Amino acid sequence: MQYWKKLSVAERNARVQQALTENVNFSTDASFGYPASHLDDKVFNEDAPFLKDAPVLQTYAANPNHIGCHTLGTSEAAFKGTQEIEREVLNVVACDIFKAEPNSFDGYIAPGGTEANIQAMWMYRNYFMKHKNAKPSEIAVLSTEDTHYSIAKGCNLLILDWIKVPVHFMERYIDDSELESLIINARAAGKKYFIVVANMGTTMFGSVEVADIYTEILENYGLEYKLHIDAAYGGFVYPFSNPDSHLNFRNPKISSVTIDAHKMLQAPYGTGIFICRKGYIENVLTTEAEYVEGMDLTLCGSRSGANAVAVWMILFTYGPHGWQEKVNILQMRTGWLCQQLDLLGIEYFREPYMNIVTIRQNHIPQWVATAFNLVPQKHDENNQWYKIVVMDHVETEHLSHFIDVLKHGEAPPEDTSKYTEIVHNNSFFMRF
Ligand SMILES: *Cc1c(COP(=O)(O)O)cnc(C)c1O
């Protein structure tokens, strides 16, 4: 770990205070040019006494704008203090977690994983068009049917065809021969350039895809590609649970990654992290953005610097060992759940290094799914799966209630809303 460490409360407070003093202070400095200020002080009083020990809320009230990208060229000088905090976050994620060399990447904290994925697709589409003279119709996006719908959204916006790769029903892996025939057909249909999106943890199954399957076949056919890893879900889990993971920047074939801090890291929404190797992000430069100091290289415009501080606080509160321990606990709970399901002969999918368990729908009565808020794969009668995400608040105690309900298999009460209430009150056993 080069950048990531655990800091005490006092150290964290001091670091954020220092960053805020390096920003323009709308309350005390003369700053006439920005269509921005601190938050409305009739509603958000910056002097409220509880803010003193709450660096994230203080930043929120100060309201720095992190518009643009701060790993390349110059940036808006007014917010240079908290921009540096954003760079510290990106260094931890890119170098310490995803094994990039220092200063070898660009990136930013996007509003979410959706934007980070679209940013990647936009960047590669333009790269193929500018540097390879590609027509948009010659470019295709390749990813599995388990891929997050943000990829479909991005294809729609960027007018790119999406080749949806089927996966094995129970094991969720990519079938090489099926992928090969899809690629042969695409080539015959005039596709020459491929944007591959491989998942580190699909949203429904947590499955981690073998990116080499794509790259080997594409290379065999002499086709050009760029490889993006969607680790929106698994980025703060899998690199910790599987130390032998090759889905990182040590693999020269990987050019970019999406990692959501607002999922497993439990950061506030608005913290999707985008990271790419140097040399690519310039492909989405918007030269018309003249009023922004520095280069406009991001899909969104204005974005809050408080989000960067929130992610920074979480990372530097835990430190690498603290975070590893947290992931280990979630793994233990997930393992416990799987053991219990095995004993009951219930079919499920689980990626060994992830904390999602996706259970065949026919084992779960509808009322149990409703009572425990399980998420179905499809919200209609064709649903085949329900998932359990073993998050911080899903303790073994709760999972054990769920297993007991499955064991007893009692008929649903007339009014299932009562059941939900009972489950949530933790007094579930009174019914049996
Ligand atoms: C959640 C998720 C996304 C989208 O992230 P948002 O932050 O909701 O925009 C993309 N990919 C995967 C795999 C996800 O789980």
Side-chain angles (χ1 to χ4, degrees), residues 111-115 117 147-150 199-203 230-234 258 260 262-263 272:
T114 297
E115 168 158 327
N117 283 342
T147 296
H148 187 265
Y149 66 85
S150 50
N199 290 292
M200 178 187 277
T202 55
T203 314
D230 183 358
Y233 180 79
T258 290
D260 266 358
H262 59 216
K263 285 188 177 156

Side-chain angles (χ1 to χ4, degrees), residues 113-168:
T114 297
E115 168 158 327
N117 283 342
I118 295 173
Q119 170 88 7
M121 295 163 73
W122 183 29
M123 207 175 71
Y124 298 136
R125 185 199 67 170
N126 288 4
Y127 166 84
F128 286 131
M129 287 167 67
K130 279 187 191 165
H131 298 283
K132 307 285 167 175
N133 246 334
K135 298 195 210 70
S137 62
E138 294 173 329
I139 308 170
V141 175
L142 255 182
S143 68
T144 64
E145 60 176 304
D146 285 347
T147 296
H148 187 265
Y149 66 85
S150 50
I151 300 303
K153 203 182 262 183
C155 288
N156 179 279
L157 281 166
L158 296 164
I159 319 187
L160 296 174
D161 285 326
W162 179 24
I163 303 174
K164 206 198 261 190
V165 183
V167 296
H168 183 274

Side-chain angles (χ1 to χ4, degrees), residues 13 16-17 20 27 38-41 43-63 313:
N13 264 343
V16 177
Q17 291 311 327
L20 288 174
S27 303
H38 52 72
L39 294 183
D40 187 305
D41 57 8
V43 182
F44 306 96
N45 180 358
E46 273 189 284
D47 299 325
F50 65 89
L51 288 183
K52 187 170 61 67
D53 302 315
V56 176
L57 293 182
Q58 247 176 25
T59 314
Y60 191 66
N63 205 22
M313 285 288 285

